[in-house]
Amino acid sequence: MNSEFEFVRSPHFAMSDDAITFLNRATETAWQLYWDKGKLMINVPNHSFQIFPDNLTRFRPVNSLIELEFEFKQSASNYPCFMHIYAKSIKRATFEAVNSDQLDISSLATHLLANK
């Protein structure tokens, strides 16, 4: 029996295999959300780390000294998607997804929480 497994995407959420870029229009800084070996990752300038949902809209870094909270907000059409970043419960920055209309954060969070 093979002890390795592959991440299987649920038909109930969509996220492309490509990274989703979030842009902070005030600072022109780009962060990316992407899959890596079944883990949801954030790539920031010079650093990447895994995030995992606390609930359907809020995520936190996993096994990291970074104390951030990510809140995702979407309209009824799921686009645009905004990512708000909080440090010590203070809103620090807002980023807008610029290259995806396929992202459904609440379905993604539900899938991750069900398969932890």
Side-chain angles (χ1 to χ4, degrees):
M1 183 170 159
N2 186 351
S3 62
E4 299 215 3
F5 66 93
E6 284 186 34
F7 180 76
V8 178
R9 295 202 195 296
S10 164
H12 303 291
F13 75 87
M15 183 170 157
S16 70
D17 290 330
D18 297 327
I20 296 170
T21 299
F22 285 84
L23 179 65
N24 180 313
R25 296 198 186 275
T27 63
E28 297 184 0
T29 304
W31 291 24
Q32 293 186 314
L33 185 69
Y34 66 98
W35 287 111
D36 183 26
K37 300 176 186 161
K39 296 177 182 175
L40 187 61
M41 305 291 290
I42 290 276
N43 184 31
V44 301
N46 303 315
H47 189 64
S48 293
F49 53 91
Q50 181 184 1
I51 61 171
F52 197 82
D54 282 342
N55 60 41
L56 297 182
T57 60
R58 292 192 178 252
F59 291 68
R60 292 186 188 275
V62 175
N63 298 326
S64 175
L65 298 175
I66 299 170
E67 291 191 34
L68 295 176
E69 185 173 327
F70 298 86
E71 178 185 38
F72 293 90
K73 297 228 175 183
Q74 293 179 283
S75 67
S77 67
N78 289 336
Y79 190 79
C81 178
F82 293 95
M83 177 176 69
H84 304 292
I85 301 171
Y86 298 84
K88 298 182 181 180
S89 299
I90 300 169
K91 186 175 175 183
R92 305 302 265 183
T94 295
F95 292 74
E96 180 182 345
V98 295
N99 67 331
S100 177
D101 58 356
Q102 299 279 333
L103 182 60
D104 181 347
I105 289 293
S106 62
S107 295
L108 172 62
T110 299
H111 176 80
L112 288 170
L113 289 167
N115 292 292
K116 65 177 177 176

